[in-house]
Coordinates of all heavy atoms in Angstrom, one line a residue:
K68 N 5.4 -29.8 97.6 CA 4.7 -30.5 98.6 C 3.7 -31.4 97.8 O 3.5 -32.6 98.2 CB 3.9 -29.6 99.5 CG 3.1 -30.3 100.6 CD 2.5 -29.3 101.5 CE 1.7 -30.1 102.6 NZ 1.1 -29.2 103.5
Y69 N 3.0 -30.9 96.8 CA 2.0 -31.7 96.1 C 2.7 -32.9 95.4 O 2.1 -34.0 95.4 CB 1.4 -30.8 95.0 CG 0.3 -31.5 94.2 CD1 -1.0 -31.7 94.7 CD2 0.6 -32.1 93.0 CE1 -1.9 -32.3 93.9 CE2 -0.4 -32.7 92.2 CZ -1.6 -32.8 92.7 OH -2.6 -33.5 91.9
F70 N 3.9 -32.7 94.8 CA 4.5 -33.8 94.1 C 5.5 -34.6 95.0 O 6.3 -35.4 94.5 CB 5.3 -33.2 92.9 CG 4.3 -32.8 91.8 CD1 4.2 -31.5 91.4 CD2 3.5 -33.8 91.1 CE1 3.3 -31.1 90.5 CE2 2.6 -33.3 90.1 CZ 2.5 -32.0 89.8
Q71 N 5.5 -34.3 96.3 CA 6.3 -35.0 97.3 C 7.8 -35.0 96.9 O 8.4 -36.1 96.7 CB 5.8 -36.4 97.5 CG 4.4 -36.5 98.0 CD 3.9 -37.9 98.2 OE1 4.6 -38.7 98.9 NE2 2.8 -38.3 97.7
I72 N 8.4 -33.8 96.8 CA 9.8 -33.7 96.4 C 10.4 -32.4 97.1 O 9.6 -31.5 97.4 CB 9.9 -33.5 94.9 CG1 11.3 -33.6 94.5 CG2 9.2 -32.3 94.4 CD1 11.5 -33.7 92.9
N73 N 11.6 -32.6 97.5 CA 12.3 -31.5 98.2 C 12.3 -30.3 97.2 O 12.7 -30.4 96.0 CB 13.7 -31.9 98.6 CG 14.5 -30.7 99.1 OD1 15.0 -29.9 98.4 ND2 14.5 -30.7 100.5
E74 N 12.0 -29.1 97.7 CA 11.8 -27.9 96.9 C 13.1 -27.5 96.2 O 13.2 -27.2 95.0 CB 11.4 -26.7 97.7 CG 11.1 -25.4 96.9 CD 10.6 -24.3 97.7 OE1 10.2 -24.5 98.9 OE2 10.7 -23.1 97.2
A75 N 14.3 -27.5 96.9 CA 15.5 -27.2 96.3 C 15.9 -28.2 95.2 O 16.4 -27.9 94.2 CB 16.6 -27.1 97.4
Y76 N 15.7 -29.5 95.6 CA 16.0 -30.5 94.6 C 15.1 -30.4 93.4 O 15.6 -30.6 92.2 CB 15.9 -31.9 95.2 CG 16.1 -33.1 94.3 CD1 17.4 -33.3 93.8 CD2 15.2 -34.0 94.0 CE1 17.7 -34.4 93.0 CE2 15.4 -35.1 93.2 CZ 16.7 -35.3 92.7 OH 17.0 -36.3 91.9
M77 N 13.9 -30.1 93.6 CA 12.9 -29.9 92.4 C 13.4 -28.8 91.5 O 13.5 -28.9 90.3 CB 11.6 -29.6 93.0 CG 10.5 -29.2 91.9 SD 9.0 -28.6 92.5 CE 9.4 -26.9 92.9
N78 N 13.9 -27.7 92.1 CA 14.3 -26.6 91.3 C 15.6 -26.9 90.5 O 15.8 -26.4 89.4 CB 14.5 -25.3 92.2 CG 13.2 -24.7 92.6 OD1 12.3 -24.6 91.8 ND2 13.1 -24.2 93.8
K79 N 16.5 -27.7 91.1 CA 17.7 -28.1 90.4 C 17.2 -29.0 89.2 O 17.8 -28.8 88.2 CB 18.6 -28.9 91.4 CG 19.9 -29.3 90.8 CD 20.8 -29.9 91.9 CE 22.1 -30.4 91.3 NZ 23.0 -29.4 91.0
L80 N 16.3 -29.9 89.4 CA 15.9 -30.7 88.3 C 15.2 -29.9 87.2 O 15.4 -30.2 86.0 CB 14.8 -31.8 88.8 CG 15.4 -32.9 89.6 CD1 14.3 -33.8 90.2 CD2 16.4 -33.8 88.9
I81 N 14.4 -28.9 87.6 CA 13.7 -28.1 86.6 C 14.8 -27.3 85.8 O 14.6 -27.1 84.6 CB 12.8 -27.2 87.3 CG1 11.5 -28.0 87.8 CG2 12.3 -26.0 86.4 CD1 10.6 -27.2 88.7
E82 N 15.8 -26.8 86.5 CA 16.8 -26.1 85.8 C 17.6 -27.0 84.7 O 17.8 -26.6 83.6 CB 17.9 -25.6 86.8 CG 19.0 -24.7 86.2 CD 19.9 -24.3 87.3 OE1 19.5 -23.9 88.3 OE2 21.1 -24.3 87.0
T83 N 17.8 -28.3 85.1 CA 18.4 -29.2 84.2 C 17.5 -29.5 83.0 O 17.9 -29.5 81.9 CB 18.7 -30.6 85.0 OG1 19.6 -30.3 86.1 CG2 19.3 -31.6 84.0
V84 N 16.2 -29.7 83.2 CA 15.2 -29.8 82.2 C 15.2 -28.6 81.2 O 15.2 -28.8 80.0 CB 13.8 -30.1 82.8 CG1 12.8 -30.0 81.6 CG2 13.7 -31.5 83.4
S85 N 15.2 -27.5 81.8 CA 15.3 -26.2 81.0 C 16.5 -26.2 80.0 O 16.3 -25.8 78.8 CB 15.3 -25.0 81.9 OG 14.1 -25.0 82.7
V86 N 17.6 -26.6 80.6 CA 18.8 -26.6 79.7 C 18.7 -27.7 78.6 O 19.0 -27.4 77.5 CB 20.1 -26.9 80.5 CG1 21.3 -27.1 79.7 CG2 20.3 -25.7 81.5
Q87 N 18.1 -28.9 79.0 CA 18.0 -30.0 78.0 C 17.0 -29.5 76.9 O 17.2 -29.9 75.7 CB 17.4 -31.2 78.7 CG 18.5 -31.9 79.5 CD 17.9 -33.1 80.3 OE1 16.8 -33.2 80.6 NE2 18.8 -33.9 80.8
L88 N 16.0 -28.8 77.2 CA 15.0 -28.4 76.2 C 15.6 -27.4 75.3 O 15.1 -27.3 74.2 CB 13.7 -27.8 76.9 CG 13.0 -28.8 77.7 CD1 11.8 -28.1 78.4 CD2 12.4 -29.9 76.8
L89 N 16.6 -26.6 75.7 CA 17.3 -25.7 74.8 C 18.1 -26.4 73.7 O 18.3 -26.0 72.7 CB 18.2 -24.8 75.6 CG 17.5 -23.7 76.5 CD1 18.5 -23.0 77.3 CD2 16.7 -22.7 75.6
M90 N 18.5 -27.6 74.1 CA 19.4 -28.4 73.3 C 18.7 -29.5 72.4 O 19.2 -30.0 71.4 CB 20.5 -29.1 74.0 CG 21.5 -28.0 74.7 SD 22.8 -28.8 75.6 CE 22.1 -29.7 76.9
D91 N 17.5 -29.9 72.9 CA 16.8 -31.0 72.3 C 15.4 -30.5 71.7 O 14.4 -30.4 72.4 CB 16.6 -32.1 73.3 CG 15.9 -33.4 72.7 OD1 15.4 -33.3 71.5 OD2 16.0 -34.4 73.3
E92 N 15.4 -30.2 70.4 CA 14.2 -29.6 69.8 C 13.0 -30.6 69.9 O 11.9 -30.1 70.1 CB 14.5 -29.3 68.3 CG 13.5 -28.5 67.7 CD 13.2 -27.1 68.3 OE1 14.2 -26.5 68.7 OE2 12.1 -26.6 68.3
K93 N 13.2 -31.9 69.7 CA 12.1 -32.8 69.8 C 11.5 -32.9 71.1 O 10.3 -32.9 71.2 CB 12.6 -34.3 69.3 CG 11.5 -35.2 69.2 CD 12.0 -36.5 68.6 CE 10.8 -37.5 68.4 NZ 11.1 -38.5 67.5
A94 N 12.3 -32.9 72.2 CA 11.8 -32.9 73.5 C 11.0 -31.6 73.8 O 9.9 -31.6 74.4 CB 12.9 -33.0 74.5
K95 N 11.6 -30.5 73.3 CA 10.9 -29.2 73.4 C 9.5 -29.2 72.8 O 8.5 -28.7 73.4 CB 11.7 -28.1 72.8 CG 11.1 -26.7 73.1 CD 12.0 -25.6 72.6 CE 11.2 -24.3 72.8 NZ 12.1 -23.1 72.4
E96 N 9.4 -29.9 71.6 CA 8.1 -30.0 71.0 C 7.1 -30.8 71.7 O 5.9 -30.4 71.9 CB 8.3 -30.6 69.5 CG 9.0 -29.8 68.5 CD 9.2 -30.5 67.2 OE1 8.8 -31.6 67.1 OE2 10.0 -30.0 66.4
E97 N 7.6 -31.8 72.4 CA 6.7 -32.6 73.3 C 6.1 -31.8 74.5 O 5.0 -31.9 74.8 CB 7.4 -33.9 73.8 CG 7.7 -34.8 72.7 CD 6.4 -35.3 71.9 OE1 5.4 -35.7 72.5 OE2 6.4 -35.3 70.6
F98 N 7.1 -31.0 75.0 CA 6.6 -30.2 76.2 C 5.7 -29.1 75.7 O 4.7 -28.9 76.4 CB 7.9 -29.6 76.9 CG 8.5 -30.4 78.0 CD1 9.3 -31.4 77.6 CD2 8.2 -30.2 79.3 CE1 9.9 -32.2 78.6 CE2 8.7 -31.0 80.3 CZ 9.6 -32.0 79.9
V99 N 5.9 -28.5 74.6 CA 5.0 -27.5 74.0 C 3.6 -28.1 73.8 O 2.6 -27.5 74.1 CB 5.6 -26.9 72.8 CG1 4.5 -26.0 72.0 CG2 6.8 -26.0 73.1
K100 N 3.6 -29.4 73.3 CA 2.3 -30.0 73.1 C 1.5 -30.2 74.4 O 0.3 -29.9 74.5 CB 2.5 -31.4 72.4 CG 2.8 -31.3 71.0 CD 3.0 -32.7 70.4 CE 3.6 -32.7 69.0 NZ 3.9 -34.0 68.5
L101 N 2.3 -30.7 75.4 CA 1.7 -30.8 76.7 C 1.2 -29.5 77.3 O 0.1 -29.4 77.9 CB 2.6 -31.5 77.7 CG 2.9 -33.0 77.4 CD1 4.1 -33.5 78.2 CD2 1.7 -33.9 77.7
E102 N 2.0 -28.4 77.2 CA 1.6 -27.1 77.6 C 0.3 -26.7 76.9 O -0.7 -26.2 77.5 CB 2.7 -26.1 77.3 CG 3.9 -26.3 78.2 CD 5.0 -25.3 77.8 OE1 4.7 -24.2 77.2 OE2 6.2 -25.7 77.9

C-alpha cells in the first residue's frame, strides 16, 4: 500500500530480486551497503 503496488505482484518481484542477488555478487554488495 505504501509503495502503491499490488501485493502479489510485489512479492513476485521480490522473489526475482532475491534470485538475482544470489547470482550477482556486485548487486548483492550494493544491497548490503543500503541495508
Side-chain angles (χ1 to χ4, degrees):
K68 184 175 179 179
Y69 181 82
F70 290 111
Q71 299 183 51
I72 188 170
N73 176 278
E74 183 180 346
Y76 181 62
M77 175 189 78
N78 284 324
K79 185 173 175 77
L80 290 175
I81 289 171
E82 185 178 317
T83 301
V84 168
S85 297
V86 171
Q87 288 174 341
L88 292 177
L89 290 173
M90 297 184 295
D91 186 345
E92 191 63 36
K93 187 170 182 163
K95 183 177 180 175
E96 288 174 11
E97 292 302 314
F98 272 84
V99 169
K100 285 179 188 176
L101 289 169
E102 289 174 30

